Amino acid sequence: MNLTINVVNEGPMKSVVYLVGEIDAYTAPNLKEALIPLTRQEEHHVEVDLAEINYMDSTGLGTFIGALKSSKEYNSKLTLVNIQDRVLRLFKITGLDEIMDLRASIRGGSE
């Protein structure tokens, strides 16, 4: 399966990353390549829209953990939004829902 990545800059301090497809061992490197540089911008807010992601494996979780570590190192913020139930279960099972900013919608509701 493929992963389409579209980064939209919403001002100088915020980017929204729209994803469509699946995040797995084959597509995670491309996601990491797009995501990590955004988190390395000091005080930058990065939202990742997962509305169109219906499958993610542990490689995808690892990519988001790496992005979270990078965001903390560079004092930026990483938020995952519009997470489908199937994918959200992975975050809950692994306990990552306790350490990551997960939101039900891109404009504010929270899980």
Side-chain angles (χ1 to χ4, degrees):
M1 182 68 181
N2 289 328
L3 177 66
T4 302
I5 303 167
N6 184 22
V7 178
V8 177
N9 293 316
E10 293 189 351
M13 301 302 286
K14 182 177 179 183
S15 297
V16 179
V17 181
Y18 295 94
L19 303 176
V20 178
E22 296 182 353
I23 305 172
D24 58 21
Y26 299 105
T27 61
N30 292 335
L31 176 58
K32 181 178 180 180
E33 187 176 298
L35 195 55
I36 297 298
L38 295 173
T39 63
R40 289 184 176 164
Q41 297 177 39
E42 195 76 25
E43 296 186 14
H44 197 76
H45 182 192
V46 181
E47 281 187 349
V48 182
D49 189 327
L50 298 171
E52 299 296 324
I53 298 295
N54 55 25
Y55 176 80
M56 183 170 67
D57 68 10
S58 61
T59 313
L61 289 175
T63 300
F64 288 122
I65 291 168
L68 178 65
K69 287 180 182 178
S70 174
S71 71
K72 289 182 185 241
E73 182 179 343
Y74 288 89
N75 198 30
S76 60
K77 181 178 179 184
L78 177 67
T79 306
L80 307 182
V81 299
N82 296 326
I83 306 168
Q84 299 214 14
D85 288 342
R86 182 177 184 179
V87 174
L88 182 59
R89 276 197 301 272
L90 285 175
F91 287 98
K92 289 184 176 185
I93 289 169
T94 58
L96 291 173
D97 63 320
E98 300 293 325
I99 62 168
M100 298 188 85
D101 187 5
L102 307 178
R103 300 189 184 255
S105 71
I106 202 162
R107 295 293 174 217
S110 67
E111 172 54 35

